[in-house]
RNA sequence: GCCGAAGUGGCGGAACUGGCAGACGCGCGCGACUCAAAAUCGCGUUCCCUCGGGAGUGUGGGUUCGACUCCCACCUUCGGCACCA
């Protein structure tokens, strides 16, 4: 027996990596004779150490890129670094190293670690966002956006991270406590003059995913983030004659608007506040401003607000309604003002009840009961009998009958009620809003009616005198509570000429009605805000703007780019941009008038750098533009993009916006930058907790590579979980993958220990499994199902081991099997595949070989297991040739002794036959 | 509260078109080799059982000859949003 050399990844892996690099094996050049495939994995931040998460993102992506290459595509799979950003500055503060030095030495280290992965990166295309040759073009894009009015500067309340000492985009503020996405510190509000990109201009187009093959999850996240809502703008006016516009999604409830609420910051507040309310309003505004957003938006917080003394006119019914201010109305959404319809909006309902504002129902509840609480003391005994005889009284509580009525009982009830009332009144609420008095019936249909009803019942019952509105009285009858408020669609009531409008057409009909009268129109509103890109930090691309006292905001001329970052700065965090504290850098001359001027000292959000890195990869050294148009036309768009889902509402929305804006400026082409997106999951620590240094559960890929070799790590990462889900790490699990590779090695290289002559069946079975595996591995790579790629290969190996034992070694079928096996494993485990390929004397390199084709004939099964069920339960199995007819299958099933026993003479009711699978005998 | 996803052995997972539930691997058990260990190999491994079977894919219903797969309701976990008018 010949023993082969043992499998030594630490020897073969560096050897092949060096050779591939020397031979330029992964250089990706334009080749018009081939179909291109641009595979991109998200740009890593050079934090200093490649962690297992990087491997998890990149190694399976690399395997797939390699697979595409073997399938005949010209594949571009580039790598680079998102090299600007805060950690470099934090390290500078902590260790006294310059951010640039820290960053570039980290990059050096990570390049080495990345090379140990054996990935097919084309390093000639590496791009580093902090290189002046890179950020020159980041600045150039800024200027283009500025020129096309897509970048603008404004004073605004912005989110500020006190830990990072900088402003953040809305997308970078996370969670209920509104913390900084990077460091977890709760943010505060600051009023600052900042630069924004007009991403909101693209809100509608960003909702269109029809050109994208992206996970549903990401599309839903982005859709929710953009937050489209349809409704109407309605023009109310103040008594002073100012227009007061509101956005509403429920124009059908307009007739129920009984007051208005402005955000405390609303510009009209000053003007409408009357002298006697001035002090109270000023105090409230101040209080609101002092509160953090977290306090202000804390849920479950009781509503607060104050009356301004001012009044508005509801344009649909000319009702005079009070204007309040309250912090539950946000200046940043809609117009910063709302019409309050307390009967059909939970927040307004709560507010109205608290402050005694009238509540008028204007939408019929689709299912509500008609409820009435009838005090015995108000009515005759005959009437009580009437209620009981007709089963209207369902209960009794403290001398009051709890009545509920069907629609067809109402008329009869009203007649009896008026006769039965000795004094007092009877109300019906829910699907009706009637107050029946002996002499008349009133309906709660307007503010006026609310006052009349309240006045009458207060005259009758002194106990109701503390109530400020009719609804407040009703609310204090617990029996009514569930029918007093609802936010559903329904038929319009109490709405003047539009009363009776059906729920399903109400909104559209009201909008048309408003439009013909010129008091409102349809309007779509978005939750999305413009992208705040100013950062008060040093290590970023300077915003290429100059402020001149004579010429105002002046863009740096393109030919003066890049605006270089000075290297001699103080980085100690002060809350001001370090560039502002530099003794000379900010002082310059105006490009327009030549007079003294100052540079913008803020730098750009690093998401700006990563919005276009996929373009810089195309031609990282090109200096006539951000990218070489020829490269663009060949490679773009990105065909598959892989990375984590955490960027769903940040990078992935920014880069889509960026592409669309550039398209409209004539720079890029096509609807989308990245066609197919796939997300990998997260690897947890072995304790099922999130990996972190403090928990001590971090898995270090360098150590794994040293112990097992890169191929084992790559294969294990592909195998151990569904790629899109991730799972806890297992240090015993990886042993299984290591065993698999050792077994491959031994199976292919070692002489067999058997004298057996392989039977034709053995060889046939071997070939069948080989070709079936080509089919499944190909399909699984296409679908990013990497775990089953590896398990199929393991299965095939098990069959090969059996075949070898049975004497297949050395036969043509065996040679074919190992040839195909190595090709199939080459994308996942490139080094061992290359080494074995080499040892077998096959032509270098396996990675330039074509992907194997399925021989359909060989893959065909000859026999199959016919499952025999009785009443859907498996009772027996029998082997049949694939060619067996329905009759043969049914006969085989019915002849089965087990079936005979179960049938015990009786005839089957039905026999169901599924070709190639089963026979199901139904016997009752 | 709203939106979304996921629940399958001790664990990661497979079952891709409604048709054998648990592929592949980990772990575990027994055995072989060995003075011994490591490595390797073989067998077993969803649960219950009176050895005939029975139960079983989060729970409860439904559709179907047949449901992990389709429908309805619910529970749990995770993610996102959150006074967005």
């Amino acid at each position: 027996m010949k023993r082969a050399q043992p499998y030594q990844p630490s020897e073969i892996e560096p050897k092949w990596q060096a050779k591939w690099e020397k031979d330029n094996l992964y250089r990706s050049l334009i080749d018009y004779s081939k179909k291109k495939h641009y595979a991109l994995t998200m740009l890593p931040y050079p934090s200093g150490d490649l962690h297992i998460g990087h491997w998890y993102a990149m190694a399976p992506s690399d395997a797939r890129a390699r697979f595409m290459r073997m399938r005949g595509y010209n594949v571009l799979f580039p790598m680079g670094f998102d090299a600007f950003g805060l950690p470099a500055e934090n390290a500078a503060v902590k260790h006294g190293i310059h951010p640039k030095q820290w960053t570039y030495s980290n990059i050096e280290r990570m390049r080495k670690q990345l090379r140990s992965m054996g990935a097919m990166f084309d390093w000639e295309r590496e791009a580093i966002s902090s290189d002046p040759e890179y950020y020159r073009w980041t600045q150039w894009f800024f200027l283009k956006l500025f020129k096309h009015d897509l970048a603008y500067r404004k004073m605004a309340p912005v989110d500020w991270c006190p830990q990072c000492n900088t402003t953040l985009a809305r997308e970078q503020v996370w969670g209920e406590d509104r913390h900084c996405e990077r460091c977890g510190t709760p943010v505060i509000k600051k009023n600052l003059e900042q630069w924004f990109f007009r991403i909101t201009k693209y809100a509608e187009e960003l909702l269109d995913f029809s050109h994208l093959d992206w996970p549903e999850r990401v599309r839903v996240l982005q859709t929710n983030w953009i937050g489209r809502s349809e409704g109407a703008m309605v023009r109310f006016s103040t008594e002073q004659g100012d227009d007061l516009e509101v956005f509403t999604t429920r124009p059908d409830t307009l007739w129920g608007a009984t007051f208005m609420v402005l955000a405390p910051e609303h510009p009209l507040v000053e003007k409408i506040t009357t002298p006697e309310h001035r002090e109270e309003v000023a105090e409230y505004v101040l209080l609101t401003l002092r509160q953090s957003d977290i306090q202000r938006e804390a849920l479950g917080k009781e509503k607060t607000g104050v009356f301004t003394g001012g009044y508005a006119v509801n344009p649909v019914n000319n009702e005079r309604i009070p204007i309040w201010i309250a912090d539950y109305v946000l200046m940043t959404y809609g117009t910063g003002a709302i019409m309050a319809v307390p009967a059909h909006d939970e927040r307004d309902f709560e507010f109205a009840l608290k402050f005694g504002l009238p509540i008028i129902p204007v939408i019929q509840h689709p299912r509500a009961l008609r409820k009435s609480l009838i005090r015995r003391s108000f009515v005759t005994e005959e009437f009580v009998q009437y209620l009981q005889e007709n089963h209207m009284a369902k209960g009794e509580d403290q001398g009051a009958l709890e009545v509920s009525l069907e629609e067809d009982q109402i008329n009869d009830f009203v007649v009896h009620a008026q006769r039965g009332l000795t004094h007092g009144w009877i109300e019906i609420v829910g699907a009706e809003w009637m107050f029946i008095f002996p002499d008349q019936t009133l309906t709660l249909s307007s503010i006026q009616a609310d006052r009349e009803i309240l006045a009458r019942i207060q005259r009758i019952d002194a106990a109701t005198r503390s109530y400020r509105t009719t609804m407040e009285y009703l609310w204090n009858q617990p029996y009514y509570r569930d029918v007093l408020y609802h936010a559903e669609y329904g038929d319009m009531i109490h709405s003047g000429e539009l009363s009776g409008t059906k729920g399903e057409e109400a909104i559209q009909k009201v909008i048309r009605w408003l439009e013909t009268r010129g008091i409102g129109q349809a309007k779509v509103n978005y939750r999305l805000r413009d992208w705040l890109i100013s950062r008060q930090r040093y290590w970023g691309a300077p915003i290429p703007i100059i402020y001149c006292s004579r010429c105002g905001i002046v863009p740096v001329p393109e030919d003066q780019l890049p605006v270089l970052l000075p290297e001699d700065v103080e980085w100690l965090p002060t809350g001001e941009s370090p560039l502002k504290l530099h003794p000379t850098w900010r002082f310059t001359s105006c490009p327009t008038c030549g007079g003294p001027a100052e540079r913008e000292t803020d730098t750009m959000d690093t998401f700006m750098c990563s919005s276009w890195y996929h373009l810089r990869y195309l031609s990282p050294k090109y200096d006539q533009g951000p990218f070489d148009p020829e490269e663009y036309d060949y490679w773009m768009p990105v065909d598959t993009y892989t990375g984590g889902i955490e960027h769903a509402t940040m990078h992935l929305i920014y880069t889509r916006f960026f592409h669309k804006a550039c398209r409209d400026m004539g720079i890029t082409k096509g609807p989308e930058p990245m066609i197919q997106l796939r997300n990998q999951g997260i690897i947890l620590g072995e304790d099922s907790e999130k990996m972190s240094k403090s928990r001590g559960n971090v898995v270090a890929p360098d150590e794994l590579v040293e112990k097992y070799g890169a191929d084992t790590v790559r294969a294990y990462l592909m195998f151990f979980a569904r790629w899109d889900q991730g799972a806890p790490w297992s240090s015993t699990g990886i042993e299984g993958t290591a065993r698999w590779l050792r077994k491959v090695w031994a199976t292919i290289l070692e002489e067999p220990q058997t004298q057996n002559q392989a039977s034709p069946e053995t060889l046939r079975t071997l070939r069948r499994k080989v070709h079936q595996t080509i089919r499944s591995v190909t399909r699984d790579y296409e679908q990013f199902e990497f775990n089953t790629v590896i398990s199929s290969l393991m299965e095939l190996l098990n069959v090969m081991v059996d075949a070898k034992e049975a004497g297949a070694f050395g036969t043509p079928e065996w040679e074919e099997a190992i040839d195909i096996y190595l090709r199939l494993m080459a994308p996942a485990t490139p080094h061992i595949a290359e080494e074995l390929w080499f040892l077998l004397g096959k032509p270098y390199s396996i990675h330039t070989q074509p992907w194997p084709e399925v021989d359909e004939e060989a893959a065909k099964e000859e026999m199959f297991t016919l499952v025999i069920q009785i009443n859907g339960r498996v009772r027996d199995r029998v082997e049949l040739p694939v060619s067996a007819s329905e009759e043969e299958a049914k006969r085989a099933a019915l002849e089965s002794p087990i079936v005979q026993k179960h049938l015990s003479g009786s005839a089957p009711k039905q026999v169901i036959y599924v070709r190639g699978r089963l026979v199901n005998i139904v016997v009752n």
Side-chain angles (χ1 to χ4, degrees):
Chain A
M1 184 190 78
K2 203 171 94 193
R3 273 217 90 86
Q5 286 291 309
Y7 170 47
Q8 293 278 16
S10 59
E11 281 175 23
I12 65 178
E13 289 179 356
K15 179 183 79 182
W16 287 114
Q17 284 162 16
K19 180 155 172 62
W20 295 332
E21 189 156 352
K22 194 182 105 234
D23 298 342
N24 270 328
L25 198 62
Y26 301 129
R27 191 78 182 90
S28 304
L29 300 172
I30 290 177
D31 179 350
Y32 291 106
S33 71
K34 282 183 174 170
K35 277 208 305 197
K36 67 92 184 182
H37 179 82
Y38 189 171
L40 183 65
T41 178
M42 287 183 187
L43 188 67
Y45 180 79
S47 52
D49 246 318
L50 205 61
H51 56 77
I52 198 73
H54 286 119
W55 271 75
Y56 196 44
M58 294 174 188
S61 301
D62 174 62
R64 193 169 187 281
R66 288 169 171 278
F67 161 75
M68 293 303 284
R69 189 175 135 118
M70 288 177 80
R71 294 200 91 193
Y73 288 87
N74 188 21
V75 176
L76 173 59
F77 188 55
M79 184 44 60
F81 297 95
D82 185 17
F84 272 137
L86 261 179
E89 279 181 83
N90 294 341
V93 171
K94 203 167 160 194
H95 301 119
I97 315 163
H98 194 280
K100 182 175 174 181
Q101 193 198 331
W102 185 85
T103 302
Y104 282 82
S105 66
N106 281 352
I107 288 175
E108 198 48 52
R109 180 175 165 72
M110 285 177 78
R111 276 198 197 112
K112 220 172 277 167
Q113 293 174 311
L114 281 164
R115 279 184 158 87
S116 78
M117 194 184 288
M120 57 172 287
F121 301 125
D122 177 1
W123 286 103
E124 295 295 310
R125 292 180 183 268
E126 183 193 50
I128 298 172
S129 66
S130 59
D131 284 349
E133 306 82 70
Y134 188 107
Y135 71 74
R136 170 186 176 186
W137 300 107
T138 308
Q139 293 172 337
W140 180 88
F141 279 115
F142 177 93
L143 294 177
K144 292 286 174 201
L145 291 166
F146 178 72
K147 193 174 147 200
H148 288 83
D149 194 33
L150 291 168
Y152 67 96
R153 193 168 138 89
K154 75 168 178 194
M155 181 64 111
V158 292
D159 295 305
W160 173 274
C161 172
Q163 175 73 38
C164 299
N165 267 300
T166 184
T167 53
L168 299 173
R170 176 67 191 86
E171 291 79 3
Q172 289 164 295
V173 181
W174 286 16
E176 216 169 312
D177 60 344
R178 300 180 51 72
H179 63 261
C180 167
E181 165 260 334
R182 189 169 276 283
C183 72
T185 311
V187 300
I188 56 171
K189 279 280 180 214
K190 274 200 180 185
N191 244 334
L192 287 174
E193 188 100 30
Q194 300 279 281
W195 284 94
F196 292 85
F197 287 159
R198 270 188 226 286
I199 191 170
T200 51
K201 196 178 164 192
Y202 289 85
E204 193 61 42
E205 201 191 335
L206 287 168
L207 287 169
D208 176 10
F209 297 95
S210 60
H211 301 281
L212 295 177
D213 169 15
W214 280 26
E216 168 85 12
R217 255 171 100 195
V218 177
R219 300 197 316 255
V220 167
L221 282 172
Q222 292 202 348
T223 303
N224 290 346
W225 187 259
I226 294 166
R228 182 182 201 274
S229 52
E230 283 183 15
M233 286 296 248
V234 185
R235 203 162 49 254
F236 285 61
S237 52
T238 67
E239 278 191 326
Q240 286 101 322
D242 288 301
D243 279 350
L244 183 45
E245 270 203 310
V246 298
F247 172 73
T248 175
T249 54
R250 292 298 301 271
D252 55 329
T253 65
L254 259 164
W255 282 260
T258 52
F259 58 103
M260 297 191 81
V261 188
L262 307 189
E265 309 93 317
H266 196 283
L268 273 178
V269 170
E270 184 88 2
K271 192 165 176 189
I272 55 175
T273 302
T274 55
E276 57 270 33
H277 290 90
R278 186 133 294 168
E279 197 177 330
E280 203 187 354
V281 166
E283 197 178 313
Y284 186 78
V285 171
L286 238 123
L287 184 80
T288 315
L289 290 181
R290 264 207 306 273
Q291 273 183 334
S292 69
D293 267 27
I294 309 147
Q295 289 168 316
R296 185 168 164 178
E297 292 179 8
L299 214 73
K301 193 191 96 170
E302 202 180 329
K303 295 267 176 298
T304 60
V306 295
F307 179 40
T308 62
Y311 284 85
V313 176
N314 184 343
V316 302
N317 56 10
N318 293 318
E319 289 266 23
R320 181 170 181 265
I321 56 177
I323 306 173
W324 286 60
I325 60 171
D327 63 3
Y328 80 90
V329 174
L330 309 174
M331 196 57 225
T332 45
Y333 186 79
T335 63
I338 62 157
M339 63 168 194
V341 183
H344 305 291
D345 181 282
E346 198 179 354
R347 298 153 299 180
D348 299 345
F349 186 75
E350 190 191 333
F351 194 84
L353 268 188
K354 177 168 176 185
F355 293 107
L357 295 158
I359 299 170
I360 310 299
V362 292
I363 301 292
Q364 183 67 280
H365 194 295
R367 295 171 308 276
L369 300 167
R370 291 152 185 81
K371 286 189 165 188
S372 188
L373 206 51
I374 297 172
R375 301 188 210 181
R376 281 179 179 274
S377 60
F378 281 176
V379 295
T380 61
E381 194 49 40
E382 289 77 33
F383 185 62
V384 173
Q385 261 173 32
Y386 161 79
L387 294 174
Q388 282 162 351
E389 278 162 18
N390 289 283
H391 310 290
M392 291 167 173
K394 317 285 180 190
E396 184 163 352
D397 184 38
Q398 296 176 20
L401 295 160
E402 294 173 339
V403 168
S404 81
L405 301 166
E406 298 300 320
E407 189 174 3
D408 56 7
Q409 295 176 314
I410 289 288
N411 287 340
D412 197 43
F413 175 87
V414 172
V415 172
H416 282 82
Q418 265 172 340
R419 226 181 291 145
L421 268 172
T422 53
H423 64 292
W425 77 93
I426 292 171
E427 71 260 348
I428 310 173
V429 300
E432 303 286 341
W433 299 93
M434 284 176 157
F435 284 74
I436 303 164
F437 297 94
D439 58 327
Q440 69 176 140
T441 296
L442 296 174
T443 305
L444 182 59
S445 61
S446 67
I447 296 171
Q448 182 59 34
D450 176 60
R451 277 191 219 112
E452 279 177 40
I453 293 166
L454 188 67
R456 278 200 76 154
I457 66 175
Q458 287 179 338
R459 277 203 299 276
I460 298 163
D461 179 3
T464 64
R465 286 187 193 150
S466 63
Y467 299 129
R468 294 161 295 178
T469 62
T470 308
M471 193 62 85
E472 191 175 7
Y473 154 69
L474 296 173
W475 184 253
N476 279 283
Q477 316 304 317
Y479 178 58
Y480 291 150
R481 285 221 172 162
D482 58 330
V483 297
L484 298 183
Y485 150 83
H486 76 87
E488 303 195 39
Y489 295 106
D491 300 350
M492 292 172 69
I493 54 173
H494 310 157
S495 298
E497 62 182 276
L498 287 171
S499 295
T501 304
K502 291 282 154 211
E504 54 272 24
E505 55 164 0
I507 289 179
Q508 283 317 309
K509 199 165 164 188
V510 171
I511 288 175
R512 281 199 306 275
W513 190 89
L514 293 170
E515 280 170 351
T516 49
R517 279 159 186 76
I519 50 178
Q521 66 282 324
K523 164 83 179 168
V524 175
N525 231 315
Y526 302 92
R527 211 188 65 109
L528 185 72
R529 311 283 157 78
D530 276 342
W531 175 13
L532 164 60
I533 58 127
S534 298
R535 296 291 177 272
Q536 293 69 43
R537 301 300 310 216
Y538 163 66
W539 191 235
I543 295 174
I545 287 289
I546 290 167
Y547 301 104
C548 169
S549 54
R550 213 169 321 164
C551 312
I553 296 176
V554 182
V556 173
E558 272 180 38
D559 59 11
Q560 289 176 28
L561 296 182
V563 175
L564 283 170
L565 268 182
E567 299 202 5
D568 51 335
V569 289
E570 287 293 337
W571 327 289
L572 289 176
T574 60
E576 289 282 12
S577 167
L579 292 177
K580 205 173 218 169
L581 306 175
H582 189 279
T584 55
W585 185 83
R586 59 193 280 219
F587 303 108
T588 184
S589 53
C590 172
T592 311
C593 71
E598 286 193 25
R599 291 188 186 284
E600 166 68 61
T601 54
D602 285 351
T603 51
M604 284 184 249
D605 182 2
T606 54
F607 280 118
M608 173 71 180
C609 310
S610 56
S611 288
W612 71 282
Y613 75 103
H614 56 286
L615 299 175
R616 194 60 188 167
Y617 280 153
L618 301 173
S619 48
K621 296 172 192 77
Y622 190 68
D623 64 0
Q624 301 302 301
F627 53 81
D628 180 341
E630 192 186 355
E631 299 277 348
Y632 184 97
D633 288 340
Y634 181 74
W635 292 109
M636 281 294 286
V638 172
D639 296 280
T640 68
Y641 194 30
T642 52
I645 196 161
E646 65 275 13
H647 286 297
T649 57
M650 301 194 291
H651 164 63
L652 288 172
I653 227 169
Y654 296 143
T655 198
R656 288 181 69 214
F657 153 69
F658 199 89
H659 178 90
K660 289 166 191 294
C662 284
R663 175 205 59 201
D664 290 348
M665 297 187 292
I667 301 167
T668 57
K669 296 167 189 170
E672 297 283 349
M674 291 111 179
I675 302 307
Q676 185 183 45
L677 175 73
R678 291 294 181 271
N679 304 113
Q680 81 275 3
I682 295 173
I683 305 185
L684 300 173
E686 204 146 12
D687 52 2
S688 297
E689 299 287 338
K690 197 172 175 287
M691 279 192 201
S692 74
K693 279 189 187 130
S694 56
R695 278 202 187 85
N697 60 355
V698 175
V699 173
D702 286 1
E703 289 168 22
L704 293 172
V705 171
E706 202 180 318
K707 186 168 177 194
Y708 297 103
D711 283 338
T712 295
V713 179
R714 291 171 60 105
Y716 183 61
L717 289 174
M718 291 171 70
F719 176 67
F720 87 113
R722 279 179 53 164
W723 192 61
D724 59 345
Q725 285 196 189
W729 180 259
S730 161
S731 50
T732 49
I734 192 171
E735 298 280 353
T737 318
R739 259 197 289 280
W740 168 55
L741 291 181
R742 282 197 295 270
K743 196 162 145 189
V744 169
W745 184 268
T747 305
I748 290 178
L749 292 182
E750 285 178 12
E751 295 281 343
Q753 306 176 39
T754 174
Q755 307 299 315
N756 290 340
Q757 286 284 307
S759 67
E761 291 78 38
T762 298
L763 298 175
R764 179 75 190 88
T765 305
L766 176 63
R767 281 208 81 207
R768 185 185 306 122
K769 188 67 179 178
V770 166
H771 286 273
Q772 287 174 347
T773 305
I774 299 173
R775 191 153 62 199
S776 61
V777 168
T778 304
R779 188 191 60 203
D780 292 346
Y781 263 122
E782 281 168 353
Q783 301 177 1
F784 292 79
E785 286 166 11
F786 304 119
N787 54 340
T788 46
V789 165
I790 305 299
S791 62
S792 300
L793 288 171
M794 287 174 169
E795 274 185 61
L796 173 54
L797 184 67
N798 292 342
V799 171
M800 284 168 64
V801 167
D802 291 346
K804 186 177 173 183
E805 188 59 32
F809 193 86
T811 62
E813 288 81 0
W814 179 259
E815 294 304 321
E816 184 200 18
I818 59 178
D819 182 281
I820 290 173
Y821 200 85
L822 293 177
R823 289 177 206 242
L824 292 180
M825 72 189 293
T829 54
H831 311 88
I832 187 176
E834 186 80 285
E835 177 73 11
L836 288 169
W837 192 256
F838 167 76
L839 292 175
L840 294 172
K842 293 170 182 283
Y844 177 77
S845 158
I846 190 169
H847 302 297
T848 54
Q849 300 298 315
W851 191 248
E853 298 281 338
V854 181
D855 179 341
E856 294 295 344
E857 205 49 47
K860 261 189 195 149
E861 295 283 355
E862 282 144 12
M863 301 293 285
F864 75 100
T865 307
L866 180 78
V867 171
I868 301 167
Q869 297 182 333
I870 296 170
N871 290 339
R873 325 180 71 97
V874 180
R875 293 298 170 183
D876 200 3
R877 297 182 174 89
V878 23
E879 290 294 311
L880 285 184
V882 169
S883 59
S885 68
E886 176 166 353
E887 286 66 35
E888 286 166 320
K890 283 182 175 172
R891 192 167 62 236
L894 290 167
E895 279 168 2
S896 147
I898 295 171
V899 170
Q900 290 291 324
K901 207 182 95 192
H902 273 91
L903 283 180
S904 59
S906 61
K909 196 169 109 187
Q910 196 186 351
V911 180
I912 290 170
Y913 168 71
V914 181
R915 198 165 64 85
R917 291 195 187 272
L918 58 74
V919 167
N920 185 15
I921 300 162
V922 186
V923 289
N924 291 323

